[in-house]
Amino acid sequence: ILFIISVTAGCLAIGMSLSVLVVALVTAGGFILFLQSWSIRDYAVFVFGATTIMGWFLSENFWFLEVYSGTLHMRQLCSLMVATCFLSAVIPGLVACNFGGKKLLGTTMMVRGLLFGYLEKSLTFGSRLSGYDEGDFTYPPYLVVLTSVTGMIAVHHLRNTNRLSNVFAWFLSCMNGSKLSMLVLPEAQLVVPCTVLCLAVMAPIMLYRQDSRQQRSAQHDKGGASTPSF
């Protein structure tokens, strides 16, 4: 009850309309039910409600602005933010409820990673790629480091707990690590080439997990030997 009251007070404080307030209360109810039942249906109510509220907030405050951030118009930026946040909210539910198996979780994380990487790439380069001097926003470089490291830790944990397949772990780890290239040589825009190179180099190491220590060592030696050739 206290949680519902707090949500209601917060919604009224930011000026939500009655229809959006109802959505917010249903969202809060879905989250409470999920904590009690751990049902994917209750979590879905929470995710769709939270995404709707975020879409309302962006449409009321930013969606209509005629400005650019890097190479993205504000409408495109808001649309990508809503899609990325929706997928980001779905992932914890899939893990907690063990719903859909490795394929659904891996696919969701891969799509979310591609969208978020595109967002970071566009925002980090900022005015270097923008033809407009007004309306550019700065995406702090430390956030690129934070999201990359956090992403690799999450992928490593899910792989070790057998919730993520080797193929998805390989792709996501390489993609998260390659994002750091935008901080080293931002003018060169090396994110995509670095990702492809990293996928090729890391394939012998990450695509084959062996139980035997000797076999695992052989796979690491094979991956290390391929690095100079690339």
Side-chain angles (χ1 to χ4, degrees), residues 197-208 215-230:
L197 178 61
C198 186
L199 288 171
V201 172
M202 297 300 293
I205 299 177
M206 299 195 66
L207 287 183
Y208 306 99
Q215 290 177 323
R216 189 185 306 117
S217 177
Q219 291 295 342
H220 282 252
D221 293 340
K222 183 179 179 181
S226 67
T227 303
S229 64
F230 286 107

Side-chain angles (χ1 to χ4, degrees), residues 137-218:
F137 298 92
T138 301
Y139 188 79
Y142 72 85
L143 287 180
V144 178
V145 178
L146 180 63
T147 56
S148 299
V149 173
T150 304
M152 287 189 287
I153 292 175
V155 170
H156 180 73
H157 174 73
L158 292 173
R159 183 190 184 191
N160 286 342
T161 55
N162 201 30
R163 296 182 177 179
L164 197 64
S165 67
N166 292 340
V167 174
F168 286 116
W170 163 64
F171 182 85
L172 291 168
S173 297
C174 293
M175 183 175 60
N176 283 306
S178 299
K179 288 195 305 178
L180 298 175
S181 65
M182 69 178 70
L183 304 180
V184 180
L185 291 172
E187 294 84 0
Q189 303 182 38
L190 296 176
V191 178
V192 175
C194 284
T195 301
V196 175
L197 178 61
C198 186
L199 288 171
V201 172
M202 297 300 293
I205 299 177
M206 299 195 66
L207 287 183
Y208 306 99
R209 298 190 68 181
Q210 304 292 339
D211 295 331
S212 169
R213 180 178 299 180
Q214 183 177 0
Q215 290 177 323
R216 189 185 306 117
S217 177

Side-chain angles (χ1 to χ4, degrees), residues 3-221:
F3 181 69
I4 297 295
I5 294 175
S6 300
V7 170
T8 304
C11 294
L12 293 176
I14 63 176
M16 278 190 177
S17 61
L18 180 61
S19 58
V20 183
L21 176 60
V22 172
V23 174
L25 294 178
V26 172
T27 303
F31 182 70
I32 293 175
L33 291 174
F34 169 72
L35 294 179
Q36 296 176 347
S37 65
W38 292 91
S39 170
I40 191 64
R41 289 185 298 178
D42 295 332
Y43 191 81
V45 172
F46 164 73
V47 170
F48 283 105
T51 304
T52 302
I53 294 170
M54 181 178 182
W56 170 85
F57 179 80
L58 291 176
S59 65
E60 289 291 319
N61 295 278
F62 302 103
W63 216 299
F64 56 87
L65 297 177
E66 293 294 332
V67 296
Y68 282 79
S69 179
T71 57
L72 298 176
H73 190 275
M74 185 56 65
R75 285 191 294 271
Q76 184 182 8
L77 177 61
C78 291
S79 300
L80 290 173
M81 286 179 63
V82 172
T84 303
C85 290
F86 170 77
L87 295 173
S88 299
V90 168
I91 293 171
L94 296 179
V95 175
C97 300
N98 196 22
F99 179 81
K102 297 179 182 179
K103 188 173 183 179
L104 180 59
L105 176 61
T107 302
T108 304
M109 293 183 67
M110 186 175 67
V111 175
R112 180 260 174 203
L114 290 172
L115 287 177
F116 192 70
Y118 177 73
L119 271 175
E120 284 191 315
K121 177 177 176 291
S122 301
L123 295 176
T124 301
F125 291 144
S127 58
R128 294 186 181 91
L129 302 179
S130 177
Y132 298 85
D133 294 329
E134 299 180 358
D136 282 316
F137 298 92
T138 301
Y139 188 79
Y142 72 85
L143 287 180
V144 178
V145 178
L146 180 63
T147 56
S148 299
V149 173
T150 304
M152 287 189 287
I153 292 175
V155 170
H156 180 73
H157 174 73
L158 292 173
R159 183 190 184 191
N160 286 342
T161 55
N162 201 30
R163 296 182 177 179
L164 197 64
S165 67
N166 292 340
V167 174
F168 286 116
W170 163 64
F171 182 85
L172 291 168
S173 297
C174 293
M175 183 175 60
N176 283 306
S178 299
K179 288 195 305 178
L180 298 175
S181 65
M182 69 178 70
L183 304 180
V184 180
L185 291 172
E187 294 84 0
Q189 303 182 38
L190 296 176
V191 178
V192 175
C194 284
T195 301
V196 175
L197 178 61
C198 186
L199 288 171
V201 172
M202 297 300 293
I205 299 177
M206 299 195 66
L207 287 183
Y208 306 99
R209 298 190 68 181
Q210 304 292 339
D211 295 331
S212 169
R213 180 178 299 180
Q214 183 177 0
Q215 290 177 323
R216 189 185 306 117
S217 177
Q219 291 295 342
H220 282 252
D221 293 340

